[in-house]
Amino acid sequence: MKFEIAPNVYWVGKIDWELKKFHGEEYSTHRGSSYNSYLVKDQKIALIDTVWAPFAREFVENLRSEIDLDSIDYVIANHAEMDHSGALPELMRAIPDKPVFCTANGVKSLKGHYHQDWDFRVVKTGDKLDLGTKELVFVEAPMLHWPDSMMDYLTGDAILFSNDAFGQHYATEHMFNDLVVQSELFEEAIKYYANILTPFSPLVTRKIAEVVGLGLPLNMICPSHGIIWRKDPLQIVQQYQEWAADYQENQVTIIYDTMWNGTRRLAEAMAKGVSSGDRDITVKVFNIARSDINDVVTEIFKSKGILLGSPTINRGILAAMATLMEMMTGLKFKKKKAAAFGCYGWSGESVKVLGDGLEKAGFEIVQEPFKTLWEPEDDALNAAMEFGRGFAEKIK
Ligand code: FEO
């Protein structure tokens, strides 16, 4: 399958409808994904990125049915992560002498993955590849999101091939932003940003300023996952600028784990308290053990503040909560407020563990933790409501 996205510029990737987990089991992809590869035909022909290894043979066969592989002059590897480079070995077996353009870190990663001495051509920001009537201009994008990441700008058509940036894990046959359900698209785009790009937000801000500062026309942004931004492509750039600037909505997210429902009841009382303290606030409540962790991370990303609850077990917290805290620590959320709560039977260390974890993850603790011995009764539930109301006041 291929389709033309501009005169002589083709999408030649793979739509992966059945993908439900990405990065191993790390990232849930409820709507599947796509691995976008692009073929640019001019006097010279360039192939930009490939697809994930399970689809390597299908990818190369598909490409072979469209063009003589020997007619490809240049292979561009914007990013060595396997979802984009996985079909390179299969492709390079067919065209072993063709040059592979990537960053210096791309050479290290590609050699590290595939242990092949392809004809690597190292490029830096501003380097140009002459295709005849148009040029590909390379823009390094280190740590967006790997050290090797790179984008390419096609002159004439004014297309930015942005690799992972501006992508979404979103399988669709309607591969353009104006043809899909907008709420689905933005759900997947914000989830992708929250779960993958949050720790690199300062770099996102700087890179966007650098690219916008070039003053280049921009007709289209072609990421390596999900749809192509052709209608008002700058909308996703502006959206990234907002997300990178310590994004917050008027939301509190309450996340708990529970053994015998005591901590759940505290969480629900706190939710009532938060909304009674601020009627305009959105309050969302999740049992972390029964929720999709990436969806919860997205809700944390949108929140001004979070309340984390766990009962005490073995002087610590329940395992699903520990997993979430590990993920939050890595994501480096900024300017978010938090507090801890939980039930206990005889020792009650969970709230301290939660508080320490929240501080380590960069949250500002704005309330002393709330803990209650045994099953909460009316007094404890009323106090939990007050705790929620107080938290709503503190995040105003
Ligand atoms: Fe889509 Fe970083 O790979």
Side-chain angles (χ1 to χ4, degrees):
M1 172 195 172
K2 75 166 183 181
F3 58 86
E4 197 171 39
I5 61 174
N8 291 317
V9 182
Y10 302 88
W11 178 96
V12 288
K14 171 68 187 176
I15 297 171
D16 188 352
W17 286 94
E18 70 170 24
L19 187 78
K20 293 299 166 212
K21 288 283 183 180
F22 185 72
H23 280 166
E25 294 292 307
E26 180 85 358
Y27 186 115
S28 59
T29 47
H30 308 311
R31 294 189 172 99
S33 192
S34 68
Y35 318 105
N36 298 341
S37 170
Y38 301 96
L39 190 67
V40 183
K41 286 185 179 174
D42 197 354
Q43 289 161 8
K44 298 286 187 182
I45 296 180
L47 178 75
I48 299 173
D49 292 324
T50 67
V51 303
W52 188 29
F55 304 107
R57 187 167 293 179
E58 180 181 335
F59 168 74
V60 172
E61 285 312 309
N62 180 42
L63 209 51
R64 206 191 296 274
S65 70
E66 304 293 347
I67 55 162
D68 175 3
L69 295 184
D70 275 327
S71 68
I72 296 173
D73 296 288
Y74 309 122
V75 177
I76 318 293
N78 279 327
H79 178 28
E81 195 163 8
M82 275 83 155
D83 49 329
H84 309 296
S85 70
L88 263 184
E90 182 82 16
L91 177 71
M92 297 308 288
R93 268 193 287 279
I95 49 172
D97 300 325
K98 300 292 178 170
V100 177
F101 291 75
C102 60
T103 63
N105 281 322
V107 177
K108 289 183 199 165
S109 301
L110 289 169
K111 282 190 173 177
H113 291 163
Y114 305 115
H115 310 285
Q116 298 291 319
D117 270 321
W118 295 318
D119 178 9
F120 292 109
R121 307 284 176 91
V122 172
V123 293
K124 298 194 288 299
T125 296
D127 287 354
K128 295 172 179 165
L129 183 60
D130 189 359
L131 300 179
T133 65
K134 307 169 198 170
E135 290 177 321
L136 273 175
V137 184
F138 300 107
V139 182
E140 292 169 278
M143 298 319 296
L144 294 176
H145 68 129
W146 272 23
D148 70 305
S149 298
M150 177 173 86
M151 308 180 189
D152 330 300
Y153 178 80
L154 181 65
T155 62
D157 295 313
I159 298 175
L160 181 69
F161 298 97
S162 61
N163 196 259
D164 279 330
F166 311 122
Q168 337 83 48
H169 287 302
Y170 185 24
T172 169
E173 290 292 330
H174 301 290
M175 288 292 296
F176 293 99
N177 67 318
D178 50 305
L179 300 182
V180 298
V181 178
Q182 298 300 292
S183 58
E184 289 185 359
L185 170 57
F186 279 90
E187 262 177 37
E188 295 305 334
I190 194 171
K191 177 176 176 176
Y192 188 94
Y193 191 97
N195 283 272
I196 295 178
L197 290 166
T198 296
F200 309 114
S201 286
L203 299 173
V204 171
T205 303
R206 284 206 289 276
K207 184 52 64 179
I208 288 177
E210 177 192 322
V211 173
V212 170
L214 297 174
L216 298 167
L218 190 61
N219 288 338
M220 221 179 277
I221 296 176
C222 295
S224 55
H225 298 289
I227 57 79
I228 292 162
W229 301 91
R230 72 174 175 187
K231 183 177 180 192
D232 184 15
L234 279 176
Q235 66 178 295
I236 190 61
V237 178
Q238 286 153 2
Q239 192 65 78
Y240 264 45
Q241 285 171 316
E242 259 188 64
W243 289 338
D246 305 322
Y247 181 72
Q248 293 182 346
E249 296 177 14
N250 191 23
Q251 177 172 326
V252 166
T253 303
I254 302 175
I255 307 148
Y256 66 92
D257 203 343
T258 194
M259 292 171 73
W260 298 107
N261 287 328
T263 304
R264 173 181 65 78
R265 294 172 68 223
L266 292 180
E268 290 172 0
M270 286 175 188
K272 284 197 183 76
V274 170
S275 59
S276 69
D278 179 353
R279 283 283 163 207
D280 295 328
I281 209 161
T282 299
V283 187
K284 295 189 182 176
V285 182
F286 297 93
N287 176 329
I288 188 61
R290 296 181 182 182
S291 302
D292 181 289
I293 195 166
N294 304 109
D295 293 341
V296 172
V297 161
T298 308
E299 297 303 332
I300 295 172
F301 178 75
K302 286 159 44 178
S303 297
K304 284 184 177 173
I306 65 169
L307 297 173
L308 282 195
S310 172
T312 297
I313 181 168
N314 301 331
R315 300 190 169 182
I317 58 176
L318 287 171
M321 184 60 76
T323 302
L324 175 69
M325 292 186 73
E326 178 65 20
M327 198 176 265
M328 289 196 310
T329 303
L331 288 170
K332 298 191 175 82
F333 292 112
K334 299 269 188 319
K335 296 189 179 163
K336 295 193 189 294
K337 297 185 165 113
F341 65 96
C343 288
Y344 67 105
W346 54 91
S347 54
E349 291 92 342
S350 69
V351 291
K352 166 116 178 52
V353 174
L354 290 170
D356 289 350
L358 282 164
E359 278 190 335
K360 187 177 165 206
F363 287 77
E364 182 192 354
I365 307 289
V366 293
Q367 280 184 183
E368 288 298 309
F370 183 100
K371 64 177 180 177
T372 190
L373 182 62
W374 306 120
E375 186 69 16
E377 288 191 297
D378 286 351
D379 283 355
L381 293 173
N382 286 335
M385 266 188 71
E386 278 310 310
F387 186 84
R389 198 191 321 267
F391 190 73
E393 287 299 319
K394 291 203 171 75
I395 63 158
K396 268 184 184 166

